[in-house]
Amino acid sequence: MKFHITTFGCQMNVHDSQWLARALESRGWEEAGEDDALVYIVNTCSVRDKPEQKVYSELGRIAAHLKRDPSVFAAVGGCVAQQIGKGFFQRFPFVKLVFGSDGIAGAPNALERLAVGSDERVALLDFMPVYEEREHALAPVAGHSRQAFVNIMQGCDNFCSYCIVPYTRGRQKSRHPDAVLDECRALVESGVREITLLGQNVNSFGMDKGGAGVSFADLLRQVAVIDGLDRLRFTTSHPKDIAPEVIAAFGEFDTICPSLHLPLQSGSDSVLKSMRRRYTRDHYLAIVDALKQARPDIALTTDLIVGFPGETEADFQDTLDVMESVGYESSFSFKYSDRPGVAAVNMEPKVDSEIAAERLMRLQTLQNNITRKCLKILEGSSTHAFIEGLSRMQDGGTTSWKGRDPAGRIVNVATDEGGDLVGMMVPVRITEAKKHSLVGERNGEPW
Ligand code: SAH
Ligand code: SF4
Ligand code: F3S
C-alpha cells in the first residue's frame, strides 16, 4: 500500500510522522510521492490560525486525487484532528480516520483495516492517563543522517493564556525514564550520533505521575554519558522550570550541545503576566546570565509573540530591549492569533492587526541584525560540522555538504573529494558568514 505523509507543526509532530511512517513500512507499506499514493496522512498543527488553514487547503489538494483513483482516502492526525475531531468526516467524506497525539499508537492498525476497503470511519481521540509506549518501529539505519528524536513526555499543563496545546495534546505525561534510556541506547547502538529529547516542556519531566521520581536534570545526565553519543539536544524549555542542575550540565558534559531554545514570548512583565508565563523579565535574564556563565559559547534562540491583547508600544519596546541584551542567534516570531477556547480570546483590547504586523517587522529587522553579528564573529574560527546531506546550492566541480556546528548553526562545506559524508563530523574553518548560515572549508579528517 502506498502512503504519503504531510507534516505541519513542531518537532513532536515531525517525530510522530517519522514513527508512523516506520510503523507502516514495517507492515509492508511503501512511502510514495504526492502523486501516486493511495493513502494520504496529514499530521496537523493548530497553534495559530495559519497552520490550521493550511490543513484545509491540503485536504482540497488531496481530494483532486480521487479522480485518479476513487479508492484514495485520507487520515488526519495531530492537533487540528484533536480539535475538530469527527467534524472532518462531514466536511471531507474521503477522510476515514482522525487521530490525536495519544491516539497515534493505534493509527497503523486502523489504517491497515481501512486500506482493505472497510468503509467505517475511525476516530482515535481519547487522551490516555499515562504515557503509553508505542510499538517499536524500525530505528533509523546508519547511512541515514544518524540523528534521532526521542520523546520524553506528552502534553502540557501550563495553560499559557494564548496557547491551544494543552487542549490538543492533553495533560503532561512523562514517559518512564527506563524506556527513554533504553530507546536512546538502542539508537546509539544502531549508529545514531545525535539525539534530541522532545517534549512541550522538558524541564518539568517527572513532575507528574510518570517519570518514576527522576528529574529532567537526572535524565539528561544519564543520556549525556551514553557511550558513542556525540551530540545531545533537548527542546522545548520553559524558563520557569529550568533547574540550576540543568544549567550546570551545559558546562559539565561535552555531549550537551552549546545551544538552547528558551522561549521568551514577551519582554514586558505585564504582558508576561497576562500570558500566564509565570516568570519576569529579570528572572529570565538571570537564567540567561547563568547559562552564559556555565557555557560562554552557548547560542540562545527563542519564540516571541507580538500584538498580544493589551500590548502597548512600551511593552513592545521591552521585548526589543531583551532581544538586544540576550543577543539571540535567531528567533521564531509570530503575530498573536486568537485560538478557540484559550483564555486570551476574552482579553481586551486586541491589538490592531496592522500595528502588530509593523511590530513584527521591526522585531524581525532587529533579529536579522543580531543574527548577522553573531555569525560574523565566527569567521576565521574552527569547529566541526555534522553532515546532514547535500547543500541546496551546488557549485561546479565540487560537492557542497550541509552540516551543523555544535550550536546547530548551518555550515556549508565544499569538498572536491568523492565519498559520502552524511553522518560524518567534518572539521572546518569558517570562511564566510552569510545571512542565516556559515560557509566553511575542511581542515581535517572526517570522523
Ligand atoms: N511548548 C513550547 C511552545 C509550543 S507552541 C513552549 O512553551 O515554548 C510554539 C510557539 O508558538 C510558542 O512558543 C509561541 O511563541 C507560539 N504561539 C503559541 N500560541 C500562539 C498564538 N495563539 N498566537 C501566536 N503565537 C502562538
Ligand atoms: Fe503552550 Fe505554554 Fe504549554 Fe508551551 S508551555 S505548549 S506555550 S501552554
Ligand atoms: Fe502545533 Fe500541536 Fe505542535 S499545535 S506546535 S503541532 S503541539
Side-chain angles (χ1 to χ4, degrees), residues 8-13 43-48 51 78-80 163-165 168-169 200:
F8 299 103
C10 59
Q11 283 159 315
M12 272 144 277
N13 261 16
N43 200 1
T44 64
C45 173
S46 184
V47 80
R48 283 170 295 279
C79 291
V80 184
C163 186
I164 199 167
V165 171
T168 58
R169 295 296 238 224
Q200 286 299 348

Side-chain angles (χ1 to χ4, degrees), residues 32 85 183 189 310 343 433 437:
E183 183 173 346
E189 248 164 58
S437 63

Side-chain angles (χ1 to χ4, degrees), residues 156-160 162-166 200-201 238 265 277:
C156 179
D157 284 348
N158 286 321
F159 292 93
C160 301
Y162 50 82
C163 186
I164 199 167
V165 171
Q200 286 299 348
N201 181 13
H238 193 304
Q265 313 299 1
R277 289 291 287 177

Side-chain angles (χ1 to χ4, degrees), residues 260-265 284 300-304 328 330-332:
L260 183 67
H261 187 66
L262 195 63
L264 169 69
Q265 313 299 1
Y284 185 96
L300 297 169
T301 57
T302 201
D303 289 349
L304 298 154
Y328 296 109
S330 65
S331 54
F332 297 105

Side-chain angles (χ1 to χ4, degrees), residues 11 43 82 93 105 133 157 165 205 326 369 379 398 431:
Q11 283 159 315
N43 200 1
Q82 193 75 54
E133 284 301 318
D157 284 348
V165 171
F205 176 86
V326 176
N369 291 337
E379 285 182 350
T398 59
T431 52

